[in-house]
């Protein structure tokens, strides 16, 4: 393995250019039409075989998908210059997987990059580099405020470098460009497509996450399992003054349920979280509300704890509906299991990191305070006998994750790409 | 009809003595053992035929009856000097009905007197006449604080006077001494016994009720229908720190239900009331409560409005129990329908009042702010073709009804007794 | 008084045409720009002096006014052909008052017509006459679904007829075209302008309201006083999984407040209503909500009962905010006092109705189940020594008031206009 | 050190006899009058100097103390044969500390034994050894169901043995017999008296706690900090039907607070628990409740987390009271800080255990799921430069801790006493 050649085949300047291009074009879950099409375009221009849309996403597992929004996203992508041919192949479904097959026997290593953005209006201020240097979001109200634009850039860089050096590898490389990580929707849908069922080793990582530039967290664990769901309460509306006794007040049911669900977070077997993030209901001041919709998420330190909480929350809603003669129904909107990485991968990761000078400090294990649907993929890999790990790729940040002024040290892009290449070399080098 | 002879046959001094004797011996619902036995004794000594206990009370309709309490009440009555023979005839059931049959054809007129007291500690103060004059309650925590002691005295006075003048009457006189008006329990049980099924004209009245001495309210209407019920929530207790997730918190269910039930009082078809008067639950600070009991009452301006409220309250409790994986059950404790008096009785009452000089002012109609199980009896009379009215017998008050310093102008006793005799004379005089 | 000439000076066909023209152009509260301008235009073309906008509306009392919406409404009105000159005079404020001064001494009689529409999408169905005959709303989501279009038509008809016959009258006639009755916002703002301070006799009425065609309810009373208000809860948002302890959950505060406010509707001094009609809050599923807004209304059978309820509701909100470390603030959005009509006007109204054959049945008194800001004006008239009445103008209805299929028997327009003329003749005829 | 002589100076038979004697005489917190007097008596008979009552308890820190209950307990103790002289010295305050001073220089080692029982009716069943063998509780409704009777027996055994072998030791031995561990009340009051301020090494332990006979847990940590408090809501009572608007409903406030407090258990800095264990309120079904009392406990994984929760709970109560025009006040009833043992004591404990053959298995560290006020004492020792540890003394159990059928393997008494003696010998042996 010629490590030097491998590492220098990635050009920092291209990584930065890609990152900024994607930063300008942020798209939300299931609406990453331009994003997917652009990824496919870059890789296919290089000759890399790539699957996309329904080939890598199981439609039945797409929570929160709106055909109408997908059509609008596709139209917008076309307006931004996406290839009509690629858009047509996608059939309204986002996400792509590049497959670099060496033709030589060997294991299959998958790397996963999440590609979606957040519903946030980007900061318009000279202190904010994307604004100062002119690569701010051009999609109002949407922003890459978590660093997924960087993940895409790293993925493209790794793809082109590995493709260029493919003769140094045996086995197969799969590069997953996953939609809808925010809201934990895309991981399950990609896993259910079967695209990682043949994977022996799986890696993914996240920029920042509390790691400064140069610091790598080798294994993340302890992420909270999470279910995202909506609850709709329906009752009977009636004029509030002339016949209140004929109404069935869906808002009273919803308010009882909100309070009730928030009482459920005591579990001696592991920590739990529940949040009713939004509530919208009612049609007019003098009308008894007949429809109220809540966006809710439950989380738990183990899958069992989370499912117990989720089921208890549903029970609370059923009971609250009954109190006021209403009905409650729920709609699943996302899911991520509780995370765990394979301890056997710690040593290889440490070795891989050593080869990349940018990684001056390695923390063996870290704890996630959030939920991540990468664990849908890691779990699937494991169920088929493979191993997986989730990494923290240090990057100094400007602003917190998910804030309007978020930005990161672009030097981390090269460090990240080289780390992935080092891992590929370690497991597939010939 | 020799009205003068009739009216003077009642002696004010005896009325006052009786009133004070009963004031000293207050007893709660279904525990009026001494009270009933003493009434029977007084009337039987005069030779008046009298039915008591199960003869005039339908055991199946006795809400809130406790055999244990009844036994204790009987023992206390014996200790207070009640006749063992009469207590034996009562079989643990209170209430009595005297029947004065003239042997001459004529209608049957019933008068009803309620006899129970309240769970209240009587005021011990020189400013309180029963204390100053030595006829305070000798039953700690129980007090005649509503005037039913006066009702009994009036009833006894009317009975003896009518019996003495029976030759002036035709038809039959029934004098009902009803237990358990507080909590509206006795009226239904006495009605269900059938004791008023042959009654043509029914009258009852209440001292005070906003009427000063000398003022009579001829017809009361608009009393609120009311159901008295207990709700028990049962869940699963568990140590609150070591396994909260295994508990089913009956207190959370109960608290949701309390709030929920109190939201139900909007009805365009009539006014409503709901009160959760008491709540008791839990066994220890560090134990998740597994049993909570509520005492509740619903009221409504019409029977339909009240029943809708009551049913909605039960639904709230079922739903609240379900929210937290608990069970809810209810126990009926009392019932009074919505009241209405026969308008045809207004004129006869006005005439009857005119004969009694004490009634210097007559108000034709009044509205009750409370509930009264006399309407169980009036409804029953009506269903059998009779007519009924409920009167307000003016009496200046010291203290409000149901307060520890309650007392009334004893001059009202004679005025009340004479009014009833005047009514008897009017309908039965020969 | 030549009644025949007076009555026949109103042409049914013009009334219907006007009604349909206004039906096509429905506008919401404070946005009745086209409506006001068109009224002014019609009357000024006839030579009738008319005040409008800030001349008849006190800006300080305009609840829920949005300058932005007013500008948009003005632009829309211009697009619909409203006179730019009139729009300019209005200065963004809707409402108009025509003053027909006979120059002869006599009392001042005011008639009031409310002119606004409702936020409702009109039914598009052949069974709905406005659709079938092509005069459906051309303002999407807004509809004259209460009959105010008819009120305007009646007002215009009365104005032109009275103006034409002005020689038959002495004293003064004021015709009020009031904006914003829905949501009870316009009445107060018009009253505060002082425009009815010189009025001796005041009449207004409503089509339908339970009266079939030909039936007139002479005096309405018992409307519920009502306050319309918004409550905003503000807290602190934070990521719901990583730092829930740092959040201040405005949704929990709001839900506690909703339940709490709905427990307040028990008052022995009069019936009450409270409704939280809408609740909107939160920004994302995984964010603790930091802002929630509620639209609420309180009502009561007397002004005192309503104000007690309103104040108690504010207290509930303050306490609920404090529970969760949040703030609550309220914004008044509308007000109507409890209604009462002058009994002395009953006989004159009965006489006036007798002259109009269309009114075949007169009900002396009626009860309103709704709230009406006409009582802001009637109260103001009374405070200055005048008298007022609110009438029910029978009209067979298709669909209930405030429903998408609402329509009414247009024959009622002529009956209504003639009744008002009859009243004018009675009080001002010379 | 003659270990054999030391260990054999404790007689198993006396330990068992003591344990059964105390089992027969269980007493609740601050009511351990007989218990304290008997301990003092046994030790003073042996000549051991002992302080008691206010000498070792700071009255100001006695949460939940009732002089009335203390007097009754004292009277009961006298009836059970307690020494009147000792009872007089106690001045109504329970608890005792024996001080064994060798007169030789050396460190001070304290051992602490908690002595109170639980409010539980003991199981009356042949399967329950205390019943079968005739040493059941003779104090109805009170039971040693946690093993503190065994702790006392161990303490007495250690005291007599150490006293008999005092020539083998240097330094000082303090034996703390602490009242009121249940409800975590006694630890703070004993610590505040200053009685452990001179202690260098502190040990205490608990029988059972998940350790079978023969298993010792060397260091317990991770107990939850806890505050025990009562909340009283006061409002205004009024007849629920006739004037509900004048009431201030303390039960609605309490129910809102219960739900609100239970929503507080989400904290990313450590696990939390909150329980409203009991709620009692209201005086009658038809009276708006004016007083409601709640027994509450908050717990947290760190002192900071617990205090944040406790303060938030108080805020919820203040807000809920305000919602309904009521007042809320709180009364502290107990407190235990978050526990931690000194790691430096692990090795000495392991060594000490090795000398006692009964301890066949030692678990270095354990986690407590409960709260323990021993940490009030350990914290105090540490603040003054000493070290402390809390041990798990294995004992096979019949029934769970705090259950009516609780019993333990009495063989653990000797094993426990020998372990403490081994620790004393290790640190103080000369």
């Amino acid at each position: 393995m010629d490590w030097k050649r491998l590492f220098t085949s990635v050009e920092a300047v291209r990584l930065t250019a890609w990152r900024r291009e994607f930063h300008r074009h942020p798209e939300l879950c299931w609406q990453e039409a331009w994003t997917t099409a652009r990824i496919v375009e870059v890789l296919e221009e290089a000759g890399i075989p790539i699957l996309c849309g329904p080939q890598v996403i199981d439609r039945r597992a797409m929570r929160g998908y709106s055909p109408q929004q997908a059509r609008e996203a596709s139209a917008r992508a076309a307006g931004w210059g996406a290839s009509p041919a690629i858009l047509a192949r996608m059939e309204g479904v986002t996400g792509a997987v590049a497959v670099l097959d060496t033709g030589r026997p060997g294991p299959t290593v998958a790397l996963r990059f999440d590609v979606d953005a957040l519903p946030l209006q980007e900061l318009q201020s000279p202190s904010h580099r994307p604004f100062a240097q002119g690569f701010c979001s051009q999609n109002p109200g949407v922003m890459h405020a978590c660093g997924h634009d960087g993940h895409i850039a790293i993925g493209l860089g790794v793809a082109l470098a590995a493709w260029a050096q493919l003769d140094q590898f045996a086995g197969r490389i799969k590069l997953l460009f996953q939609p809808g990580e925010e809201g934990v929707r895309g991981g399950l849908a990609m896993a259910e497509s079967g695209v990682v069922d043949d994977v022996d080793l799986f890696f993914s990582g996240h920029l920042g996450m509390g790691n400064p530039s140069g610091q790598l967290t080798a294994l993340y664990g302890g992420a909270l399992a999470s279910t995202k769901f909506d609850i709709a309460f329906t009752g009977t509306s009636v004029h509030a003054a002339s016949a209140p006794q004929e109404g069935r007040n869906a808002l009273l049911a919803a308010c009882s349920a909100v309070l009730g669900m928030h009482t459920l977070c005591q579990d001696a077997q592991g920590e739990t979280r529940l949040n009713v993030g939004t509530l919208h209901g009612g049609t007019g001041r003098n009308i008894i509300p007949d429809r109220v919709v809540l966006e809710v998420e439950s989380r738990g330190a183990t899958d069992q704890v989370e499912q117990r909480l989720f089921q208890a929350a549903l029970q609370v809603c059923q009971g609250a509906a009954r109190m006021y003669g209403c009905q409650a129904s729920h709609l699943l909107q996302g899911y991520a299991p509780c995370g765990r990485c394979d301890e056997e991968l710690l040593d290889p990761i440490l070795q891989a990191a050593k080869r990349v000078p940018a990684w001056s400090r390695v923390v063996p294990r870290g704890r996630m305070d959030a939920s991540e649907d990468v664990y849908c993929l890691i779990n699937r890999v494991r169920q088929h006998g493979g191993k997986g790990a989730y990494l923290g790729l240090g990057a100094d940040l400007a602003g917190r994750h998910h804030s309007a002024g978020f930005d990161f040290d672009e030097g981390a892009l090269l460090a990240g790409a080289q780390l992935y290449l080092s891992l590929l070399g370690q497991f597939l080098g010939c």
Side-chain angles (χ1 to χ4, degrees), chain A:
Chain A
M1 196 82 221
D2 182 342
W3 296 107
K4 188 171 172 197
R5 185 154 68 95
L6 183 63
F7 291 164
T8 55
S9 67
V10 196
E11 292 170 64
V13 65
R14 293 194 71 185
L15 295 177
T16 299
W18 279 323
R19 182 258 165 157
R20 294 183 178 199
E21 183 181 5
F22 286 97
H23 192 87
R24 270 196 304 272
H25 301 83
E27 295 174 306
L28 297 175
C29 174
W30 302 135
Q31 301 174 45
E32 309 94 334
W34 182 89
T35 304
T36 300
R38 181 71 181 123
I39 290 167
V40 171
E41 187 177 45
V42 168
L43 298 184
E44 292 194 337
E45 278 175 5
I48 300 173
I50 187 155
L51 305 168
C52 68
Q55 296 173 301
V56 297
I57 293 289
D58 183 339
R59 279 182 191 276
R60 290 164 306 182
M62 293 172 76
R63 304 295 176 209
Y65 179 73
S66 154
Q68 169 69 14
Q69 287 178 337
R71 275 191 298 275
E72 290 168 10
S74 198
R76 184 188 54 214
W80 285 350
S83 150
I86 299 174
L87 288 174
R89 275 159 60 196
M90 288 164 54
E91 298 178 16
V93 176
T94 56
V97 176
V99 185
L100 288 63
D101 195 336
T102 65
R104 284 177 286 281
T108 297
V109 178
L111 306 179
R112 169 266 200 180
F113 309 94
D114 40 0
V115 307
D116 58 327
L118 286 157
L120 219 76
Q121 181 59 44
E122 184 156 15
L123 184 63
Q124 310 291 314
S125 154
S127 66
H128 181 54
R129 188 173 54 175
F131 179 84
Q133 302 193 8
F135 61 96
C136 254
S137 163
Q138 63 179 58
N139 191 4
V142 183
M143 176 188 174
H144 269 297
C146 193
H148 297 185
D149 48 351
H151 297 173
I152 304 169
I154 293 173
L156 295 179
V158 170
L160 296 200
W163 187 248
Q165 315 284 329
L166 202 59
D167 56 345
Q168 298 208 58
F169 297 101
R172 287 201 309 162
I173 300 167
K174 283 190 158 184
L175 301 166
L176 283 60
F177 295 89
Q178 179 206 302
E181 189 280 325
E182 307 291 351
V184 292
R185 292 169 166 179
L188 182 66
M190 193 165 256
E192 297 278 314
S193 79
V195 80
V196 294
D197 291 359
D198 60 354
V199 168
D200 300 293
L201 296 148
F202 179 101
F203 298 94
S204 186
H206 206 296
L207 289 164
M209 300 290 282
N211 298 289
S213 289
Q215 173 176 306
L216 179 76
T217 294
L219 297 181
Y220 266 114
L224 298 167
S226 184
T227 302
K228 316 298 185 188
F229 56 106
D230 296 346
I231 300 281
F233 288 94
T234 50
T236 307
S237 69
V238 73
H239 190 273
S242 61
Q245 73 280 1
E246 293 174 16
R248 298 290 172 265
N249 194 321
L251 183 57
L252 289 177
C255 290
S256 290
V258 170
L259 290 171
M261 285 192 281
H262 273 272
T263 68
L264 300 174
C265 288
Q266 299 194 55
D267 194 317
Q269 298 188 342
E271 94 188 285
T272 53
R273 298 278 189 284
L274 185 138
N275 191 50
V276 180
T278 72
L279 188 155
H280 293 283
T283 53
R285 192 188 302 280
N286 62 346
I287 306 292
I288 288 182
D290 65 346
R291 184 169 170 83
V292 180
V293 177
L294 290 67
E295 291 182 306
V296 195
E297 60 171 26
S298 53
R299 305 194 196 221
T302 71
D303 293 346
Q304 187 195 14
V305 160
E306 192 278 327
Q307 280 299 300
R308 181 158 54 213
L309 175 59
F310 170 58
Q311 294 299 334
L314 294 186
Q315 185 181 40
V316 161
C317 292
Q318 290 302 326
R322 182 170 177 184
M323 283 178 76
Y324 299 96
C326 298
Q327 276 76 45
S329 61
H330 73 277
L331 188 63
L332 290 176
Q333 291 285 15
Y335 177 69
C338 185
R340 196 146 307 177
C341 294
D342 285 288
E343 286 286 326
E344 296 93 321
L345 295 179
L346 179 58
D347 279 344
I349 293 168
L350 297 181
Q351 284 180 288
K354 255 186 209 157
R355 281 183 216 108
V356 183
W359 298 112
S360 54
R361 175 174 154 78
V362 182
V363 179
R365 288 172 198 82
R367 185 183 179 291
M368 292 190 65
D369 270 335
S371 301
E372 244 292 352
D373 63 1
V374 71
Y375 294 106
C376 291
L377 294 157
I378 293 181
N379 277 5
R380 182 88 174 200
V381 165
R382 276 197 183 136
Q383 284 160 17
H384 290 80
K387 292 186 173 54
Y390 191 60
L391 317 165
L393 306 170
D396 293 337
L397 302 185
R400 299 174 63 170
H401 287 283
H402 294 210
S403 74
F406 178 81
D407 192 16
F408 62 86
D409 170 14
E410 290 171 334
L413 298 174
L414 185 60
Q418 290 181 338
L419 179 73
Y420 283 125
L421 288 168
S422 182
L423 282 164
L424 291 178
Q426 177 145 348
F427 288 104
L428 304 182
C430 60

